[in-house]
Amino acid sequence: MKNYDVIVIGDANIDLVVEGCNELPAPGQEVFVQNMTIHVGGGAALFSLATAKLGLKVAFNGVLGDDGFGQLIKDQFSRYGIDTRYIKKSSSNTGISIAINPENDRSFITYAGSNAELSLQQLDMNSVLLGRHVHLTCYKGSRNHAEFLETVKKLKALGVTTSIDMGWDDTGEWYPGIFELMKHIDVFFMNETEAIHYTGCTTVEESLEVLSKHSSHIVLKLGSKGAVTSVGGQQSYRSSFSVRVVDTTGAGDSFNAGYIYGYLAGKNPEECLIYGNACGALSVSEYGGNTGTTNIQLLEKFIADRIGETKETLETTL
């Protein structure tokens, strides 16, 4: 028996969600909004919280400031049983992202803070030895490709399975080295826009065909259209569950959590997609990237009540 089901390394910050901001104030002016709420943010943190809520044992590797926001994040982690002993302390403040109008076209004002110090070299290998699976985030193309490649090879040698979410490339580089990295990752997550940029294709189907030549287990998130996976060359698709969308922050990270829950439970790819889509749907139904995620009992009830909604044919959806 391992101490942890999932070891996570990546970003954690505070999300300040501003609701009902119809205009930004001009200099010297003040604008009143409907509400402001504080949530834990950062892709790795949201993935960790969602997997912990589903009942998996999680340890988090990251960097937080020695301040009130850093303590708030640690307290939230501890509330759901996430081991925080591997979190490093920064001399910088904890990062903050202000999300404006998450119910419409989201805009962000972000201070990276302690996340700017994040590196895979901070992954505590003692935590890895106690775990079954490692989830990686914060890939930055050519800037840290060599570091990622070296790390995933070490993880493979230690006998743990791995997953990674590519995330958006804000440099516009779309580094082709990911095709080399994919060969060493057990579950590779992308969204459809990222896949099209990396492959240079024009459709999801074409992108999936290219990516499946480099990865034995690729998962493409299609937003409101659901998700598709190619495992060993065999494709599976599930459309999304219909819910009232309030805030899409963290939907992809919540999907990842549901999918990895299914993967570690030995579910087949189609079942993993259903778990992922359900977690994503519940996430977007509440403000904040973590508020809507729930435990496995309520998740399975949600699925049982709505499973008839989902489609199994990708071609009829796109």
Side-chain angles (χ1 to χ4, degrees):
M1 292 292 291
K2 295 282 191 176
N3 290 41
Y4 310 115
D5 296 302
V6 184
I7 311 298
V8 182
I9 181 165
D11 53 331
N13 54 261
I14 290 295
D15 281 349
L16 174 61
V17 177
V18 182
E19 303 169 34
C21 183
N22 298 317
E23 59 177 330
L24 294 177
Q29 290 186 341
E30 181 178 15
V31 170
F32 288 89
V33 297
Q34 293 173 7
N35 197 13
M36 292 187 189
T37 51
I38 291 176
H39 306 271
V40 174
L46 294 175
F47 172 87
S48 298
L49 285 164
T51 50
K53 285 184 176 183
L54 291 173
L56 297 182
K57 295 174 288 185
V58 181
F60 189 85
N61 289 252
V63 188
L64 291 172
D66 186 18
D67 53 24
F69 283 151
Q71 190 59 51
L72 187 155
I73 293 170
K74 285 185 179 180
D75 289 345
Q76 186 79 338
F77 281 173
S78 297
R79 178 183 174 188
Y80 293 103
I82 298 172
D83 197 330
T84 63
R85 76 181 72 185
Y86 306 106
I87 295 176
K88 306 293 190 297
K89 187 182 294 186
S90 171
S91 58
S92 300
N93 292 327
T94 300
I96 302 173
S97 188
I98 304 174
I100 302 171
N101 271 1
E103 63 273 22
N104 297 312
D105 291 330
R106 295 174 296 165
S107 300
F108 295 94
I109 301 172
T110 298
Y111 162 66
S114 52
N115 282 329
E117 301 170 21
L118 187 64
S119 165
L120 280 193
Q121 295 175 4
Q122 294 160 341
L123 176 60
D124 192 313
M125 286 301 170
N126 290 321
S127 71
V128 172
L129 292 171
L130 299 173
R132 298 169 56 199
H133 182 88
V134 177
H135 183 70
L136 305 162
T137 63
C138 300
Y139 179 76
K140 299 185 183 300
S142 59
R143 289 172 289 172
N144 62 1
H145 175 78
E147 183 181 45
F148 264 78
L149 192 59
E150 179 184 2
T151 300
V152 297
K153 287 180 179 179
K154 286 180 181 178
L155 295 174
K156 191 171 185 178
L158 291 173
V160 297
T161 54
T162 55
S163 57
I164 186 172
D165 190 303
M166 294 310 297
W168 181 256
D169 183 356
D170 56 10
T171 70
E173 178 186 28
W174 304 108
Y175 185 58
I178 62 140
F179 299 115
E180 178 186 22
L181 183 63
M182 292 173 81
K183 294 179 172 65
H184 303 280
I185 299 287
D186 293 288
V187 183
F188 209 95
F189 293 104
M190 277 188 187
N191 67 36
E192 61 178 310
T193 306
E194 293 157 1
I196 286 170
H197 276 291
Y198 275 114
T199 63
C201 298
T202 56
T203 68
V204 169
E205 295 94 334
E206 291 171 351
S207 297
L208 189 61
E209 184 177 347
V210 170
L211 294 168
S212 62
K213 293 176 182 177
H214 302 277
S215 170
S216 61
H217 196 143
I218 181 81
V219 185
L220 295 188
K221 294 172 283 186
L222 311 177
S224 61
K225 297 186 291 292
V228 60
T229 185
S230 176
V231 181
Q234 293 294 115
Q235 291 186 17
S236 299
Y237 166 75
R238 274 289 179 175
S239 61
S240 61
F241 293 94
S242 178
V243 294
R244 176 176 172 267
V245 177
V246 173
D247 179 6
T248 60
T249 303
D253 304 304
S254 297
F255 172 94
N256 296 348
Y259 193 95
I260 290 299
Y261 177 90
Y263 174 79
L264 293 177
K267 305 292 185 181
N268 64 46
E270 185 178 323
E271 292 174 302
C272 292
L273 288 172
I274 292 170
Y275 277 109
N277 285 337
C279 283
L282 289 169
S283 173
V284 303
S285 66
E286 300 283 350
Y287 282 108
N290 173 251
T291 310
T293 52
T294 188
N295 60 46
I296 187 60
Q297 291 79 19
L298 292 176
L299 183 73
E300 290 185 334
K301 184 180 185 305
F302 174 88
I303 292 170
D305 290 344
R306 293 169 174 257
I307 192 62
E309 298 177 3
T310 61
K311 302 182 184 70
E312 299 180 49
T313 305
L314 181 63
E315 290 78 9
T316 61
T317 303
L318 298 179

